[in-house]
Amino acid sequence: MANWAELPHDLLTLIAKRVKVIENFIAFSAVCNSWRTAATKENFDAFSPQVPLLMLAADKDSDDYREFYSLSKQNVSRIFLPEARGPVECFPSEGWLCAISCIGEMKLLQPFSRISIQLPSLKALLSLHGEEAPKEGEWHCIDKAVLSASPSVTSDYSLVISRFGEGSLLSFWRPGDLNWTNINFKKFDGISTMVCCKGQFYALTFGGEVWVFDIACRSISKPIVEPRILARLRDDDVFHNPVHFYLVEISDALFILTRFLHSNGLGCYHTVKFNVYELDLTKAKLNKVSTLGNSAICLGRNGASSIDSSAFTIVKPNQIYFTDDGVDEYKYCEGGGGGRDMGAYHLDDGSIESFYPGLSLSPICPPTWVKPSFS
């Protein structure tokens, strides 16, 4: 082992630059001190594709560690993360978490470096609409938190929050802002899904309307955020059934995933199938597709993201790795907690198999996908 530790630094740097999976890069850095000096942020390609990790539910409120399940290594790692201890709801986006505590404190949290960015409070967010902050333990009605870009890569980013009051309401925050800014948008049928694609935010309502809006950088004193409708979709199979919707970008195109659930009427449910449609904004229609090509999709509570499966041996193409996001349902499921409805859906034959061997439950923050990244 001593011989390995004595490898020239220049050679170790060349080796480190060829490691593309962040989990392997972290393992590389743990070999010894000389290897750790080569495993710097500058020697890792921050834009190389990564397999998301499954952040499991917190086992207990007093635990300072959170567990992450790796698809590629098929094991669980414990990461010291006291900032996410207790009843903290986490919305993953761009490798970060929008973490909301039971007392209404909000922050952006990088789970692998523990760097945090303080956000205006939930009380400040609700005050935009003349509402009072919920009491401890009450549901705060936030259902989406989407970043335009990773704070690890740029300071020119924005965070959009979707919450449900008298309909779906949108607000945003940018670095340096002292408070949330309201977006002139209110839909009584509710926002089903939201995604940021090429710097623009897209929202799909339960009624089949696709909206888009931009948020100006801080150099513009008066950011004009006026959502505009792009399409009104009509598809009985999609919008006249009890399904969950997801917007996802694949190879610069937007796709809609529909997730069909079966309920036993007692609060318990499970996913039975997915349909995938390419979104044609020019003709305002959906084109059903039967294959994702080399892509796979990870989806959960806060949205969906695509993966190029050809870059990894463990990720299978044409497959959807889904986690539990039945916010309204799992709070009433017998036994409590979301996290029961997870699996890998094969789009070619409609079969579903398990990808996680255990059971991880939480009524507040069930297992969800987090993209590993440096900060």
Side-chain angles (χ1 to χ4, degrees):
M1 188 64 191
N3 292 335
W4 287 102
E6 294 171 2
L7 288 174
H9 181 76
D10 290 346
L11 178 58
L12 288 174
T13 298
L14 289 175
I15 297 173
K17 289 182 176 180
R18 295 179 66 88
V19 179
K20 300 300 182 182
V21 179
I22 196 169
E23 296 168 68
N24 296 336
F25 195 80
I26 294 172
F28 177 96
S29 70
V31 172
C32 60
N33 288 334
S34 62
W35 287 45
R36 187 174 300 111
T37 60
T40 63
K41 178 181 178 180
E42 292 72 23
N43 290 335
F44 185 79
D45 183 3
F47 297 98
S48 60
Q50 301 297 318
V51 178
L53 299 174
L54 184 68
M55 185 176 76
L56 302 177
D59 286 338
K60 48 190 176 182
D61 292 349
S62 60
D63 196 347
D64 285 336
Y65 288 81
R66 293 299 295 260
E67 294 185 333
F68 291 79
Y69 178 74
S70 168
L71 276 178
S72 58
K73 294 183 178 297
Q74 297 185 354
N75 64 4
V76 173
S77 299
R78 281 171 56 84
I79 295 179
F80 186 63
L81 196 61
E83 294 82 0
R85 178 180 58 193
V88 175
E89 192 163 12
C90 297
F91 297 86
S93 182
E94 297 292 336
W96 288 64
L97 302 173
C98 179
I100 307 171
S101 73
C102 60
I103 60 174
E105 182 185 57
M106 300 180 67
K107 68 179 70 174
L108 287 173
L109 175 64
Q110 217 291 340
F112 307 105
S113 66
R114 294 180 54 207
I115 292 176
S116 65
I117 300 171
Q118 196 67 40
L119 299 170
S121 68
L122 177 63
K123 180 179 180 180
L125 177 64
L126 297 179
S127 68
L128 291 177
H129 306 282
E131 301 178 36
E132 295 183 357
K135 298 178 182 179
E136 184 173 342
E138 291 182 346
W139 186 39
H140 49 59
C141 303
I142 291 178
D143 55 11
K144 296 289 182 295
V146 178
L147 285 164
S148 62
S150 170
S152 304
V153 177
T154 178
S155 61
D156 184 14
Y157 66 89
S158 53
L159 172 69
V160 173
I161 296 287
S162 168
R163 56 173 294 270
F164 194 82
E166 294 182 0
S168 285
L169 308 169
L170 294 176
S171 307
F172 76 88
W173 174 89
R174 301 165 304 179
D177 288 352
L178 298 179
N179 205 346
W180 300 96
T181 299
N182 184 44
I183 297 175
N184 185 24
F185 182 90
K186 188 173 184 178
K187 296 300 296 181
F188 289 99
D189 55 357
I191 293 176
S192 174
T193 181
M194 188 167 56
V195 69
C196 186
C197 178
K198 297 181 181 178
Q200 292 186 305
F201 288 90
Y202 294 83
L204 172 65
T205 71
F206 284 102
E209 294 181 347
V210 181
W211 292 76
V212 65
F213 57 93
D214 305 276
I215 297 175
C217 60
R218 279 191 52 81
S219 60
I220 299 177
S221 59
K222 293 183 179 180
I224 300 174
V225 182
E226 290 294 339
R228 57 193 184 277
I229 191 167
L230 292 179
R232 289 182 174 88
L233 305 173
R234 294 292 180 264
D235 191 315
D236 290 345
D237 184 44
V238 177
F239 296 103
H240 289 177
N241 281 285
V243 298
H244 291 182
F245 305 118
Y246 308 85
L247 277 169
V248 61
E249 178 188 2
I250 304 176
S251 301
D252 295 328
L254 281 176
F255 289 75
I256 292 177
L257 279 66
T258 61
R259 175 179 184 173
F260 293 81
L261 301 175
H262 174 74
S263 173
N264 65 0
L266 301 176
C268 294
Y269 60 93
H270 63 274
T271 298
V272 293
K273 73 170 183 176
F274 284 88
N275 285 339
V276 182
Y277 303 84
E278 185 170 2
L279 179 57
D280 187 337
L281 293 174
T282 303
K283 298 181 180 179
K285 63 178 294 187
L286 300 176
N287 299 315
K288 191 173 182 179
V289 299
S290 59
T291 178
L292 299 172
N294 285 329
S295 295
I297 294 174
C298 289
L299 65 81
R301 168 76 187 279
N302 203 44
S305 60
S306 63
I307 309 170
D308 181 2
S309 66
S310 63
F312 310 98
T313 57
I314 192 64
V315 178
K316 299 177 182 178
N318 212 32
Q319 191 155 288
I320 300 171
Y321 297 86
F322 62 91
T323 64
D324 201 338
D325 73 339
V327 181
D328 295 329
E329 293 89 350
Y330 64 58
K331 291 186 176 181
Y332 306 103
C333 183
E334 185 178 356
R340 301 178 187 276
D341 186 33
M342 300 198 302
Y345 179 85
H346 298 263
L347 197 59
D348 52 357
D349 61 7
S351 62
I352 298 177
E353 64 179 354
S354 173
F355 64 81
Y356 173 64
L359 184 63
S360 181
L361 304 177
S362 169
I364 297 174
C365 187
T368 188
W369 296 109
V370 180
K371 179 182 176 182
S373 64
F374 272 114
S375 180

